[in-house]
Amino acid sequence: MEWMLMPLKRYAEFTGRSRRQEFWMYMLLLLIIWMIAFFGIMVMGVGALSMAGANADGSPRVAGMMGMFASMGIIAVILGIVWLALLIPTLAVQIRRLHDTDRSGWWIMIYWGPAILSWIVNIAGAANQSSGLIMLAGLCSLLALIASIVLLVFWCLPGTNGPNRFGPDPLGGVGNLSQTFQ
């Protein structure tokens, strides 16, 4: 649990380095949080729908549908707040992991640039019902997907041995064997 919670203790620390164990244990914590949230949404939605019963023809009552959407809306607001609260430590640990592989934290923008542009273009395309904008949003989404694969590879790579330009080795090694055995 200590490795899972370490990025939360280093909440907005964008400097330094993070080892793979810290990064992947935190990602596991995020996966567990989102799986529990997904399960909660499903349980609340099905529970609200089943409590309302059905009409004579078998269709769900409107009150049940309203209850389901209301409960899911409350959960969505809570999840949005949790996502915002976890966004900064997630970005920080991702950047520190890039630092461990001796890469600038700006590499994170190869994903966030196309992703944000895709969201903006999607909103504009939906408002204008422009097929050109929708195609551009799809292209941006594809670029974000490719960028996420590149970042995944970077995050899986071992860190540089010894200190690098972003700080000392989180594993504690010096990196140069001649320095180790002096």
Side-chain angles (χ1 to χ4, degrees), residues 20-52:
R20 283 184 287 187
Q21 185 174 12
E22 175 186 349
F23 177 81
W24 289 113
M25 292 303 285
Y26 179 70
M27 291 299 138
L28 177 63
L29 175 67
L30 291 181
L31 178 69
I32 291 169
I33 289 170
W34 296 123
M35 293 294 285
I36 291 171
F38 177 75
F39 182 73
I41 288 173
M42 297 303 291
V43 167
M44 287 188 77
V46 169
L49 190 58
S50 66
M51 286 176 58

Side-chain angles (χ1 to χ4, degrees), residues 5-16 18 22 26 84-96 99:
L5 300 176
M6 188 178 295
L8 296 176
K9 292 176 185 171
R10 299 172 69 183
Y11 190 83
E13 187 179 320
F14 291 92
T15 58
S18 287
E22 175 186 349
Y26 179 70
L84 283 174
L86 294 175
L87 179 64
I88 292 174
T90 302
L91 287 174
V93 76
Q94 289 173 344
I95 288 171
R96 287 193 312 267
H99 287 174

Side-chain angles (χ1 to χ4, degrees), residues 37-167:
F38 177 75
F39 182 73
I41 288 173
M42 297 303 291
V43 167
M44 287 188 77
V46 169
L49 190 58
S50 66
M51 286 176 58
N55 292 326
D57 64 354
S59 62
R61 291 189 181 136
V62 174
M65 297 296 283
M66 299 282 283
M68 178 183 72
F69 291 131
S71 62
M72 291 175 76
I74 292 168
I75 292 291
V77 168
I78 292 170
L79 287 178
I81 292 169
V82 169
W83 183 82
L84 283 174
L86 294 175
L87 179 64
I88 292 174
T90 302
L91 287 174
V93 76
Q94 289 173 344
I95 288 171
R96 287 193 312 267
R97 183 70 200 117
L98 287 169
H99 287 174
D100 193 37
T101 61
D102 206 18
R103 288 178 177 79
S104 170
W106 288 105
W107 273 97
I108 202 86
M109 290 308 292
I110 69 169
Y111 168 77
W112 281 104
I116 292 171
L117 186 60
S118 172
W119 295 337
I120 292 169
V121 171
N122 252 330
I123 292 169
N128 298 335
Q129 295 183 355
S130 168
S131 61
L133 287 177
I134 293 171
M135 286 179 58
L136 180 62
L139 178 65
C140 290
S141 295
L142 179 64
L143 289 174
L145 176 66
I146 293 168
S148 65
I149 294 169
V150 170
L151 287 172
L152 179 66
V153 169
F154 287 165
W155 292 326
C156 289
L157 292 174
T160 55
N161 290 330
N164 67 16
R165 60 188 167 137
F166 298 105

